[in-house]
Amino acid sequence: MKDYSPDQIRNIALVGHGSCGKTSLTAAFLFAGGVTPRLTKVDKGNTVTDFEPEEIDRKISISAACCFLDWKGYRLNLIDTPGYHNFLWDTRASLRAVDAAAILVCGVAGVEVGTEKVWDMLEEMDYPRLFIINKLDRDNANFYRTLEDIHQFFGRKAVPIQMPLGEEKDFTGVIDLIRQRAFIFEKDESGQFREEEIPESLREEARKKREQLMEMIAENDEALMEKYFDQGDLSEAELKTGLKKAVLEKQIFPVLACSALVNIACQPILDTFVELFPSPLERAPLKIIRNGAEEVWQPSLDLPFAALVFKTLSDPYAGRISIMRVFSGKVNPDVTVSNTTKDTEEKLGGLFYLQGKEQIPAGQARLGDIVATTKLKATTTGDTLAARGSDILFPPIKFPEPAISFAIEPKTRADEDRISQATHRITEEDPTIRIERDAETGQLLISGNGQLHVEITTEKLKKRYNVDVILKPPKIPYRETIKGKSDVQGKYKKQTGGRGQYGDVKIKMEPLPRGADFQFEDKIFGGAIPKNYIPAIEKGIQEARKKGVLAGYPTVDFKVILYDGSYHEVDSSDLAFKIAASMAFKKGAKEAKPTLLEPIMNVEVYTPEAFLGDIMGNLNGRRGRLQGVEQKGNLRIIKAQVPMAEMLDFEPALTSITGGRGSFIMEFSHYEEVPAHLQQKIIAEAIKEGRVKPEEE
C-alpha cells in the first residue's frame, strides 16, 4: 500500500439529515477510486459503509463507518455518518476525527432537521465545510430553490462553485464556474463524462456567477482584491488559491451539485476535497488539556505520538475494536502506549485501516491517519492514547443524556444467562445506551436517545449475541406517604407449646416535609420495652415501609414515635418486636390518611419557534407546569415540570408535532401527590398485578 505524507491526506466527514444520500455518495466515491468494481447501492444492501444487519434491513445508517480511497495521489479518509437524531451522537464523535465536512442536502426536501443539527456541531467545532446538493435527478428537485433554503438557514457565505446542467430527469452534469467548463456525464451509472465548452444558452449566466464568486474570493484577500480592482479579473490559479484560503477561514462554504445514486458529478467533488480542504498539517490548532488547564496545540509529525479514540466497535469474534485519529507523531503496531485519560498503559495490537468492516493492515500509523486496533483492555470511546510519559489529554467527547427508557425482559432463561455479557458489549460500542437494573422496581431498564435507538439496540442483542428480549414501558417509581396523624398499637403474641413469641409496641405516626424520607424517635421511659429490642422495632418499620398500604410502593416522608409497649421476660425476642412493629406500621399508615406520590421531572424541550404553541399545549395536556421559555440561536427552549407517567410517550408526539426538529431532555426533580382520580387507577392496577390484596385498599 502506498505511503502517504500528511500533506497528501484529507480527513472528511459526510454529514446531513437521514436519507439525504451520504452512503450513496460514499459508494460513488469508492467506485470512482477503484475500491469497488461496481456502483454499490443502499437498496441492494451491498454498500461498504452500511454493513450492519440493522442498517441493511432498514436502509438507513445507524453507525458512523470509515473508508478510504486514493484520488489522484491523495489519500481521502471518509467517514459516512448517521443523520437521524437518535444516532447523531456518533456523528458528533466522528467529527472529532476529521478536519473538514461535506454537508449533503437533498435537492427535493431541502434543509431538514438533521442538516441544522450537524451545522450546529460544525459551528461549535469551527470546521471548514462545503455543501453538496444531491438527488438532482429526482422529480421536483431544484438546485436554486435548495440553495435559497441553505441561504435562509445558514447565510450567504454558501456560494455555488458549480451550476447544474439540466434538472430532474434531464440532469446530466455540472458547469465548473472557476474553469468555465462543462462536465457532461453518461446516464449509465458508470461515472464516465466528457469535458466540453459551456452550452451557448448558459454561458452568460455562468459568466455572471463566476463574477459573483470572484468578488467574494477577492473580498477575503487583500492582494487579490487589489489585482481584481486593477485588472477586473483573476486567473484560475488565483481563484483556487483564494478560494481555499476563504474555505479554511470559514468565509466561504462552497456549494456543489450531484446525483449520487446515478453517479453524476461525483468525481468533481473529489477534486474539490483535494483542492479546498485542509491537510492534517493545515487544520486549525487543537485544544488539549495539560495539568488540568486548556491550551492550544499545533499537531506535528515531529512531536510524540498522540491519538484520540473516537469510536469503539464490538465484534462478537474479534472483541473490542478501537478506532483512533492520529494527531501527532507516529506509532508502530504491538507497542505499549499511555492511556492518559485513565492514567494506565495499553499494549496496542496490530494496526489496520477500515474499509467499512474490512480490516487492512496498516503497518506504522502517522499524523493524519485514521486507524484501528484491537483488544485494548481499559480504553473506551473518547480516551487519549499517547507516547509513554506524555501529558497530552484531548478534551472528552460530549455525549447526550438518554431521553427515553424501556424495561427489557429476557424471553427465556438462556437469554437471561447471556444478557449480562451482551449488554456490556453493547454499551462499550454505544456510550449513549445505558442498561441497568432499577433497584426499586427490580426491572432491567434500557435507556437511549429515542425509541428507534432502543429498538435497534435490542435487535443487535438478538442478532449479534443471540439474546432475545421483550420491550415494555418502565414502571413508574411511585411512593406512598401520609397526610394525617395516627396513634396505634401493634401486638404480636404467639403460643406454640414451649417458648412463645411476644412483642407489643405503641407508636404515633405523623407526616414530614416532602423529601425528608423517614425519622424514628424512641420515647420509651421506665423500661416498658428493654433497650435491646428498640433496634428490632425500627428495623421492623423500615422493612414494612418498603411496601406501602395503598398500592405496595415504598412509604416516605413520615415520622414514627415509639412511646410505649410491653414485653415478656421469656417469650419476647427481636423477631417478635420486629413483627409487632410491622403490624403497627400497617395499621398506623391506614389510619393516617395515606396517599400516593409520583415523580415530577424537569423537562427542557428544544424546538423551532413555529411549533412553540403546539408543544406548550401538549405539555399542558400532560399535566405539565410551564416554567418559562428561553432562546438559543434559532431554537426556543421550553422549560416545564411534568409527571414522569405523562412523559413515557412524549418522544413520538414531539417528533410528530415538529417533523423531527424538536428534541428534549429530562431529569428527576421531586415527588408530588397524585390527583385523587388517578390514584384509584394506580391502586386498581396494583391489585391486578398482585402487589396488594383488595382488602388492603
Side-chain angles (χ1 to χ4, degrees):
M1 186 172 287
K2 181 182 171 183
D3 210 12
Y4 295 88
S5 62
D7 62 334
Q8 294 174 307
I9 294 173
R10 301 289 184 271
N11 291 311
I12 303 152
L14 274 63
V15 300
H17 187 78
S19 298
C20 65
K22 299 180 294 294
T23 302
S24 296
L25 186 58
T26 304
F29 290 159
L30 293 176
F31 177 48
V35 175
T36 57
R38 64 187 184 283
L39 186 64
T40 56
K41 300 284 179 105
V42 171
D43 281 347
K44 292 181 180 177
N46 61 358
T47 62
V48 170
T49 53
D50 273 5
F51 54 83
E52 298 281 5
E54 299 80 20
E55 294 177 312
I56 293 168
D57 290 347
R58 293 175 182 263
K59 297 180 172 52
I60 63 169
S61 297
I62 62 173
S63 180
C66 302
C67 61
F68 63 92
L69 67 142
D70 179 282
W71 187 252
K72 299 181 179 177
Y74 289 82
R75 158 66 71 87
L76 301 187
N77 292 320
L78 305 177
I79 304 183
D80 175 18
T81 67
Y84 290 104
H85 76 275
N86 281 223
F87 311 105
L88 283 175
W89 64 268
D90 203 6
T91 301
R92 173 179 280 277
S94 298
L95 286 174
R96 292 286 299 275
V98 299
D99 306 315
I103 306 170
L104 269 71
V105 183
C106 173
V108 180
V111 172
E112 297 172 89
V113 58
T115 329
E116 294 177 72
K117 289 183 183 294
V118 297
W119 174 269
D120 288 344
M121 292 179 195
L122 293 167
E123 282 285 275
E124 183 186 327
M125 297 181 185
D126 200 29
Y127 278 179
R129 70 210 80 145
L130 56 74
F131 288 95
I132 300 169
I133 298 177
N134 187 27
K135 302 189 179 184
L136 287 174
D137 65 312
R138 302 284 180 91
D139 289 345
N140 300 315
N142 187 294
F143 178 86
Y144 294 106
R145 184 190 66 229
T146 307
L147 177 63
E148 190 52 44
D149 211 18
I150 291 170
H151 286 162
Q152 185 180 336
F153 279 90
F154 310 122
R156 296 274 163 183
K157 288 184 181 179
V159 185
I161 61 170
Q162 293 177 344
M163 279 173 55
L165 280 167
E167 59 183 27
E168 299 183 353
K169 67 179 186 301
D170 296 323
F171 175 62
T172 55
V174 293
I175 294 169
D176 183 326
L177 293 177
I178 291 179
R179 293 180 57 197
Q180 289 286 287
R181 299 287 289 172
F183 298 92
I184 300 167
F185 285 73
E186 301 294 334
K187 287 210 160 190
D188 57 4
E189 300 183 2
S190 67
Q192 297 293 320
F193 65 93
R194 60 188 186 276
E195 183 180 329
E196 295 183 353
E197 294 285 335
I198 297 172
E200 182 75 35
S201 60
L202 294 172
R203 281 179 194 169
E204 182 59 22
E205 185 183 356
R207 186 191 64 75
K208 285 180 181 176
K209 291 194 181 304
R210 185 178 191 272
E211 281 286 333
Q212 292 168 1
L213 176 62
M214 196 182 311
E215 283 181 20
M216 284 201 71
I217 292 171
E219 280 174 12
N220 290 287
D221 187 295
E222 276 190 33
L224 292 180
M225 176 70 86
E226 196 173 311
K227 182 178 179 186
Y228 179 63
F229 277 144
D230 286 348
Q231 301 179 16
D233 197 12
L234 297 173
S235 70
E236 180 183 321
E238 287 168 334
L239 283 174
K240 285 184 176 179
T241 302
L243 182 57
K244 178 166 184 174
K245 178 175 181 284
V247 168
L248 296 191
E249 293 174 354
K250 282 78 71 182
Q251 294 303 312
I252 290 180
F253 306 119
V255 182
L256 298 98
C258 79
S259 175
L261 198 64
V262 291
N263 202 8
I264 292 178
C266 299
Q267 295 97 318
I269 297 172
L270 293 173
D271 291 336
T272 304
F273 286 170
V274 168
E275 291 169 359
L276 299 185
F277 276 161
S279 74
L281 295 172
E282 295 170 313
R283 66 158 292 147
L286 285 163
K287 289 179 181 175
I288 63 165
I289 299 167
R290 273 195 173 125
N291 302 317
E294 197 174 85
E295 62 180 75
V296 175
W297 180 77
Q298 185 63 55
S300 166
L301 193 57
D302 298 325
L303 290 170
F305 163 71
L308 175 72
V309 175
F310 67 93
K311 187 172 178 63
T312 304
L313 298 176
S314 185
D315 188 281
Y317 307 104
R320 185 192 297 169
I321 299 172
S322 303
I323 311 173
M324 58 184 165
R325 159 70 190 267
V326 181
F327 281 107
S328 72
K330 48 187 177 282
V331 69
N332 293 314
D334 306 314
V335 302
T336 299
V337 296
S338 290
N339 179 325
T340 55
T341 306
K342 295 194 168 75
D343 195 21
T344 186
E345 293 195 338
E346 289 276 28
K347 174 79 180 291
L348 296 181
L351 296 173
F352 47 89
Y353 303 116
L354 286 176
Q355 195 68 276
K357 64 180 177 181
E358 185 185 357
Q359 300 175 8
I360 298 168
Q364 187 183 73
R366 297 187 293 179
L367 165 67
D369 282 336
I370 294 175
V371 293
T373 189
T374 55
K375 298 175 183 173
L376 299 182
K377 291 178 180 176
T379 301
T380 53
T381 302
D383 286 359
T384 301
L385 296 179
R388 292 168 87 175
S390 174
D391 59 355
I392 286 176
L393 181 65
F394 296 116
I397 296 171
K398 297 175 186 173
F399 293 110
E401 289 296 309
I404 194 168
S405 297
F406 288 86
I408 51 174
E409 291 181 6
K411 278 192 176 178
T412 67
R413 181 62 187 270
D415 292 318
E416 195 170 339
D417 292 341
R418 288 191 293 264
I419 197 166
S420 177
Q421 185 177 4
T423 55
H424 177 67
R425 288 282 187 88
I426 288 284
T427 51
E428 271 186 349
E429 183 172 277
D430 184 345
T432 65
I433 279 283
R434 290 190 190 155
I435 303 175
E436 51 200 3
R437 193 165 297 280
D438 187 303
E440 185 179 313
T441 64
Q443 288 184 310
L444 190 61
L445 298 182
I446 179 169
S447 306
N449 297 320
Q451 188 166 339
L452 180 63
H453 189 203
V454 170
E455 286 173 356
I456 285 177
T457 301
T458 58
E459 285 177 24
K460 286 182 183 178
L461 282 172
K462 183 175 181 179
K463 289 176 181 174
R464 286 195 202 173
Y465 305 106
N466 199 25
V467 174
D468 213 352
V469 297
I470 303 165
L471 272 183
K472 292 184 174 181
K475 292 175 182 173
I476 304 297
Y478 292 107
R479 297 282 188 269
E480 298 185 21
T481 193
I482 56 173
K483 294 197 288 183
K485 297 181 178 182
S486 61
D487 186 338
V488 297
Q489 179 180 21
K491 192 171 186 178
Y492 180 64
K493 186 177 181 181
K494 189 174 184 183
Q495 196 68 44
T496 56
R499 183 176 173 179
Q501 293 284 356
Y502 183 90
D504 175 26
V505 300
K506 291 181 180 179
I507 64 170
K508 291 177 182 178
M509 292 179 66
E510 57 187 52
L512 289 175
R514 199 68 62 236
D517 195 28
F518 171 67
Q519 290 177 16
F520 178 80
E521 189 173 344
D522 172 17
K523 280 197 172 181
I524 293 291
F525 296 105
I529 299 173
K531 290 290 184 189
N532 58 302
Y533 292 131
I534 304 301
I537 294 168
E538 183 177 356
K539 189 175 181 184
I541 293 168
Q542 285 278 28
E543 289 182 3
R545 80 181 184 102
K546 290 178 183 175
K547 189 178 179 189
V549 297
L550 282 178
Y553 292 102
T555 306
V556 296
D557 302 340
F558 71 103
K559 181 177 183 178
V560 167
I561 302 165
L562 174 66
Y563 69 92
D564 202 0
S566 61
Y567 73 103
H568 189 279
E569 288 282 0
V570 176
D571 293 345
S572 287
S573 66
D574 282 348
L575 178 62
F577 273 105
K578 203 164 107 174
I579 294 170
S582 173
M583 293 165 64
F585 164 79
K586 290 176 184 176
K587 189 176 178 182
K590 286 179 183 177
E591 292 184 13
K593 298 181 184 175
T595 189
L596 279 173
L597 302 174
E598 63 181 342
I600 305 296
M601 312 301 287
N602 285 328
V603 178
E604 289 188 4
V605 185
Y606 295 74
T607 175
E609 188 171 11
F611 309 110
L612 202 60
D614 288 344
I615 293 170
M616 289 167 76
N618 186 280
L619 291 172
N620 280 327
R622 295 172 185 272
R623 299 189 284 129
R625 290 193 304 272
L626 296 173
Q627 309 284 303
V629 179
E630 296 177 2
Q631 184 168 350
K632 182 183 179 183
N634 296 325
L635 293 177
R636 298 293 183 273
I637 306 170
I638 303 169
K639 296 190 174 184
Q641 290 192 329
V642 192
M644 181 193 281
E646 303 287 349
M647 291 298 294
L648 296 182
D649 64 347
F650 181 66
E651 190 217 7
L654 179 65
T655 301
S656 174
I657 291 169
T658 65
R661 292 179 187 270
S663 62
F664 76 103
I665 56 173
M666 67 177 181
E667 61 181 9
F668 172 75
S669 173
H670 63 282
Y671 274 88
E672 282 182 13
E673 188 174 355
V674 180
H677 70 285
L678 294 176
Q679 290 204 27
Q680 296 309 311
K681 290 182 181 178
I682 296 165
I683 292 167
E685 187 65 30
I687 291 169
K688 185 178 172 184
E689 290 179 1
R691 292 170 66 90
V692 290
K693 296 175 183 176
E695 62 267 23
E696 290 181 31
E697 281 186 68

